[in-house]
Structure formats: structure tokens, C-alpha cells
Amino acid sequence: MSNAWQRYYAIRKLAYEAAEITLSEVYGLPVQLTEIDDDALEAFEEHWLHHPYRRYDWEWRDVVESWENRPSHFEVAIWCNAYLSGLAVGKVSDGKLVLSIYLLEGSPVETHPLKGLVRFCVVEAAEAYATILGCDELHLRQPVDGALPLYFDMGFFLATNQANVVVCSKELKR
């Protein structure tokens, strides 16, 4: 593992730990945040992949492989009581001004323990990572229309980025 990989892995781990403390205190649930590793991918394939209520057809194993060529990428698997509840990936802009979340998916299983809370978990982890890196903004790229009111309630506003892509944007406090 190169120095850059080790550095960003350590930063993601710090961000996960900080977010876990906040999330566990706020929701009173044992939230665990990890990389999207083999355990997460196996849980995805076993419980989500062919679930009838799954909304997206992302193949997370391929997604993770395509993002791994960038050491500073953001990824998170969200667990509660050993159950995979959410996955997300994103990247930091070249100038490290913006962390953009590209894909975010919650478990399609109606009874998963973090139902309705996955977006908060992703944003908490992403904000922690972005803050450590010194980013000014967090973007959720191409949000689905139905989720816009949920993101607005979380302090995001609708904008377009430099590539003219619709994003939900939130300024980060330092």
C-alpha cells in the first residue's frame, strides 16, 4: 500500500470513528462505519442484490473496483447490529474544495435497523471526512427528485456544479 493509500485510509478511519460516536449518541443504536470491504459486498449480494424492493441496479462490487484507483475516494458501508444498512461512494475534487457523493443506497429490506436514517449516516461520515481534508462543500450528485425535500431538511440546497451537473450542496463548517 502506497503512502497516499495509507494516509487516506487512516483519514477515512478517523472520519468513521468520529461519525460513529455522533450517530450512536443521536440515534441510540450501535452504528458501525467501515470501508466497503468483502464482508459488505457479501452482505449486499446476499440480502440486497435480488431484493424485489431494490430501487437501483448498481453492482456494488464493480462500483468499488472502479473507485479504488483514487486514494482520496470516499466510501462507506453502514452497519447496525451486524446488518448492512447502507453503502455510498464519492470523490474529492482535485483542489480538495468539494467532496461529492456519487452513489448512496440504503438497504431495500423494510425492517433494517437504520430505516430512514441511512442518509444521515452517510452525510455524517462524509462531513467528517471532508472536514479533515479541509473541503468547503459537500455535494450529493444528481439526487433523485423524491429525495430532494429530505436533503433540503438536512441543510442542503439545489445547485449546479462547475460541470453543470445538478447537485444538492451544503457548506461545511470548519
Side-chain angles (χ1 to χ4, degrees):
M1 188 182 288
S2 74
N3 287 343
W5 277 101
Q6 290 175 339
R7 180 172 162 254
Y8 285 107
Y9 174 80
I11 292 170
R12 279 191 298 275
K13 192 164 174 56
L14 280 174
Y16 297 155
E17 290 169 359
E20 284 175 352
I21 291 167
T22 300
L23 293 165
S24 294
E25 287 176 0
V26 169
Y27 299 114
L29 295 167
V31 177
Q32 182 185 9
L33 307 175
T34 67
E35 301 273 312
I36 303 175
D37 58 13
D38 285 336
D39 290 339
L41 294 171
E42 287 170 14
F44 159 77
E45 289 166 350
E46 182 178 342
H47 299 288
W48 297 21
L49 185 59
H50 300 293
H51 195 282
Y53 297 127
R54 188 162 180 241
R55 294 183 182 151
Y56 311 106
D57 61 357
W58 302 320
E59 172 43 72
W60 281 94
R61 191 170 296 277
D62 294 340
V63 167
V64 170
E65 286 176 12
S66 72
W67 285 86
E68 286 181 340
N69 64 348
R70 191 177 184 119
S72 64
H73 75 279
F74 173 79
E75 66 178 85
V76 65
I78 302 159
W79 301 84
C80 185
N81 297 324
Y83 189 85
L84 180 65
S85 293
L87 297 168
V89 294
K91 72 175 187 173
V92 179
S93 64
D94 290 335
K96 298 212 177 10
L97 298 175
V98 178
L99 171 58
S100 296
I101 303 300
Y102 280 68
L103 301 175
L104 182 165
E105 184 174 6
S107 171
V109 178
E110 291 290 321
T111 58
H112 78 84
L114 294 174
K115 184 74 175 167
L117 301 176
V118 169
R119 68 184 180 280
F120 295 104
C121 296
V122 169
V123 168
E124 189 68 34
E127 284 183 358
Y129 185 63
T131 299
I132 293 169
L133 294 178
C135 296
D136 295 325
E137 295 178 38
L138 175 62
H139 288 178
L140 306 174
R141 284 181 57 103
Q142 299 177 312
V144 294
D145 289 340
L148 290 176
L150 302 173
Y151 296 137
F152 296 158
D153 285 347
M154 295 174 70
F156 286 88
F157 59 91
L158 204 55
T160 54
N161 66 11
Q162 291 180 341
N164 214 25
V165 174
V166 174
V167 298
C168 279
S169 181
K170 182 177 186 181
E171 290 185 23
L172 299 175
K173 299 173 191 163
R174 291 198 200 190

